[in-house]
Amino acid sequence: MKKKMLWLLVPLLAAVAVVLVLFWDAILLYAAPKTVLTGALTKLYGQLEERFTGSPLAVLAQSYDPEGCYTAQLQAVTENTLLGEIRYDMTVQTDGVGHRLYAEGTAETADKDLDLSLYLDGDFLAVSSADLLKGAWYGITYDSFSSDIRSIPLLQYVLSDALVSRWDDSLQSIRDQVMKFHASSVSPELSEEDMRALLAGLLLLPGRVSNDQLRLNGIWTDCRRIDYTADGTQLPELLAEKESVSVSFYLCEKTVVQIDFFYTSGEDQLSGGAFFGLDAASETLALQLNQTSLSVRTEEGEGEYGETWAIEKDGTMTEITYHWNADSGDTTLSVNGSAPAALNLTRTENGFRIHTEDCEALLNMTRQEGASTNAPKRCTVTVQKGSDVVTPQYNNLDQWSMEDFWVLLSGVGSLFGIDAS
């Protein structure tokens, strides 16, 4: 009897062994999703690291500051209808979160050298010069400009309403650019440590495994999806009480091909995802964040690294293409099929350096209709992260004398192409 039972068990055990061999990945995925997912994420990280090793973004990323605080050395040559060629040598500091910019240095013309300090934020702009103003700061408050300028004795009889209106429009444009530029330079940031901690925390929670399908290389393909959900009660060290996050990992052939996420904090919501394909080292990557989508195609060869970024935001598509030589730093950049502009991007000890003698072409790529057409002839910028911007105390426009006004208009205003005509 025992011998008969043994012979019955042999084919059964053989069948079980075959099933385990053929379906081991699926069995392991359902039994221990964390183990499978950890291996797949490690593989994905390696592929992305391989892909972006030769990218100029690695040069820029070393100087990235989440609060938009940077210090830049700027040398630029411009052409001014009033003064001819002007050579600027400035140190520029930014504070992205505070929407503040501070610059100091010299402006050299054929006739004279002028020391100059400039401060800009969302409320006012101010200038100072030891040569012209004995180091005192003189400022203009955007919202009260029209009334402030008319409060200067006798000036209301000299300036026309049309001229004051044009100046006011220019000031509002400056404020808009300051707010827009610095706001766009700062993005919601989770540090690498924060992301690793959140991912590790999620993987400690039970994951739900299910079957799904994704379109890979134009073919609908079966895959497995692992869903993780957490809120502030489950991960109190990483999420606030009203915060929650859901992350879905799509696996095919032991590879993470897509990640979707959904985050809520009270009434605020953030959703998106990333598509990596079966080989994130070479395939087109696709990212989605709320209403903004991005795809990235990469080309490499003969010491040159190239990418094409297609960005769709609010129904508008922008395509950026560049090619970069890591050895020389020589770079060409094109936006929406424009003629390529040339620049040079190289790594420095504390950041990066960009030089171009094609400033007008670069600015034309991003210039909006109606924007100023003034552009430097050539420019060199050396950037490192970190800044120490101090908001100056200043004499507001309604405190200026007539002499102050004309000194500033003729001295500093002329550097920006402003005259009283």
Side-chain angles (χ1 to χ4, degrees):
M1 182 68 177
K2 291 182 179 179
K3 188 175 182 179
K4 184 177 181 182
M5 289 294 296
L6 181 60
W7 282 110
L8 289 174
L9 285 174
V10 168
L12 178 60
L13 291 174
V16 171
V18 171
V19 170
L20 288 174
V21 170
L22 294 178
F23 300 100
W24 174 250
D25 290 342
I27 293 171
L28 182 61
L29 182 59
Y30 281 92
K34 176 184 175 181
T35 302
V36 176
L37 183 56
T38 299
L41 288 173
T42 301
K43 175 183 175 182
L44 173 63
Y45 182 83
Q47 290 174 332
L48 292 174
E49 190 174 41
E50 175 188 346
R51 180 188 189 118
F52 292 111
T53 295
S55 170
L57 296 181
V59 177
L60 302 178
Q62 71 175 4
S63 302
Y64 173 71
D65 184 275
E67 296 185 346
C69 294
Y70 300 99
T71 298
Q73 302 299 321
L74 168 69
Q75 291 85 38
V77 178
T78 66
E79 192 73 34
N80 186 289
T81 55
L82 299 175
L83 302 176
E85 186 175 272
I86 307 174
R87 290 175 292 279
Y88 291 94
D89 190 347
M90 308 289 290
T91 298
V92 181
Q93 298 188 71
T94 65
D95 168 17
V97 171
H99 308 289
R100 299 185 301 162
L101 181 147
Y102 175 79
E104 64 178 357
T106 59
E108 180 184 347
T109 67
D111 298 328
K112 61 180 179 180
D113 295 347
L114 177 67
D115 78 281
L116 181 67
S117 297
L118 173 68
Y119 175 88
L120 296 160
D121 66 19
D123 298 316
F124 73 96
L125 64 82
V127 296
S128 178
S129 170
D131 293 336
L132 293 178
L133 307 170
K134 299 180 181 179
W137 283 91
Y138 286 78
I140 296 174
T141 302
Y142 305 124
D143 288 338
S144 60
F145 168 75
S146 294
S147 59
D148 287 344
I149 197 170
R150 290 187 174 92
S151 69
I152 300 176
L154 303 179
L155 197 58
Q156 58 181 313
Y157 302 109
V158 178
L159 303 179
S160 67
D161 289 342
L163 180 59
V164 171
S165 179
R166 288 204 305 272
W167 284 352
D168 189 42
D169 289 342
S170 296
L171 286 169
Q172 299 311 317
S173 177
I174 290 173
R175 172 162 65 176
D176 291 343
Q177 291 302 313
V178 169
M179 296 299 290
K180 179 180 179 181
F181 174 79
H182 290 298
S184 65
S185 71
V186 181
S187 58
E189 157 96 354
L190 273 178
S191 68
E192 184 174 346
E193 291 77 13
D194 291 336
M195 289 187 287
R196 287 180 181 274
L198 181 58
L199 180 58
L202 284 173
L203 294 183
L204 289 176
L205 302 174
R208 184 171 61 88
V209 182
S210 60
N211 296 324
D212 210 322
Q213 282 192 326
L214 283 179
R215 196 171 182 84
L216 300 175
N217 299 320
I219 301 173
W220 285 103
T221 305
D222 292 332
C223 64
R224 301 288 190 272
R225 191 180 81 215
I226 309 177
D227 298 318
Y228 290 91
T229 301
D231 57 29
T233 61
Q234 295 167 295
L235 298 175
E237 296 182 356
L238 300 171
L239 298 173
E241 182 180 351
K242 294 184 178 180
E243 291 181 317
S244 65
V245 61
S246 299
V247 182
S248 297
F249 300 91
Y250 295 80
L251 280 77
C252 181
E253 300 177 10
K254 298 182 182 179
T255 299
V256 175
V257 294
Q258 182 169 311
I259 300 175
D260 292 338
F261 70 89
F262 185 76
Y263 166 83
T264 61
S265 177
E267 296 182 355
D268 296 328
Q269 297 182 346
L270 186 66
S271 63
F275 177 82
F276 305 101
L278 291 172
D279 184 4
S282 60
E283 292 190 27
T284 298
L285 304 180
L287 306 174
Q288 180 79 34
L289 184 63
N290 285 351
Q291 302 304 313
T292 301
S293 62
L294 164 70
S295 68
V296 182
R297 300 195 310 273
T298 302
E299 308 168 28
E300 289 188 79
E302 300 299 326
E304 190 171 88
Y305 188 98
E307 284 187 334
T308 297
W309 291 44
I311 306 167
E312 184 176 2
K313 182 177 181 181
D314 300 327
T316 300
M317 177 67 74
T318 302
E319 188 171 270
I320 302 171
T321 300
Y322 71 83
H323 291 87
W324 179 66
N325 186 295
D327 294 328
S328 65
D330 291 339
T331 307
T332 58
L333 177 68
S334 176
V335 177
N336 294 332
S338 64
L343 57 98
N344 185 273
L345 168 65
T346 53
R347 189 190 304 270
T348 64
E349 182 178 354
N350 298 314
F352 61 89
R353 174 186 178 273
I354 296 177
H355 172 78
T356 182
E357 302 202 9
D358 209 0
C359 292
E360 186 170 4
L362 287 172
L363 292 178
N364 282 337
M365 293 178 183
T366 57
R367 180 178 291 132
Q368 297 179 350
E369 185 177 350
S372 172
T373 57
N374 293 327
K377 294 165 60 177
R378 57 184 178 273
C379 180
T380 301
V381 184
T382 305
V383 179
Q384 66 184 56
K385 66 179 176 181
S387 65
D388 185 21
V389 180
V390 177
T391 303
Q393 298 294 320
Y394 66 98
N395 300 309
N396 191 50
L397 180 58
D398 60 350
Q399 301 172 317
W400 296 8
S401 67
M402 178 72 84
E403 181 182 0
D404 293 334
F405 175 81
W406 288 114
V407 166
L408 283 160
L409 183 64
S410 59
V412 178
S414 60
L415 294 175
F416 300 96
I418 299 174
D419 60 36
S421 60

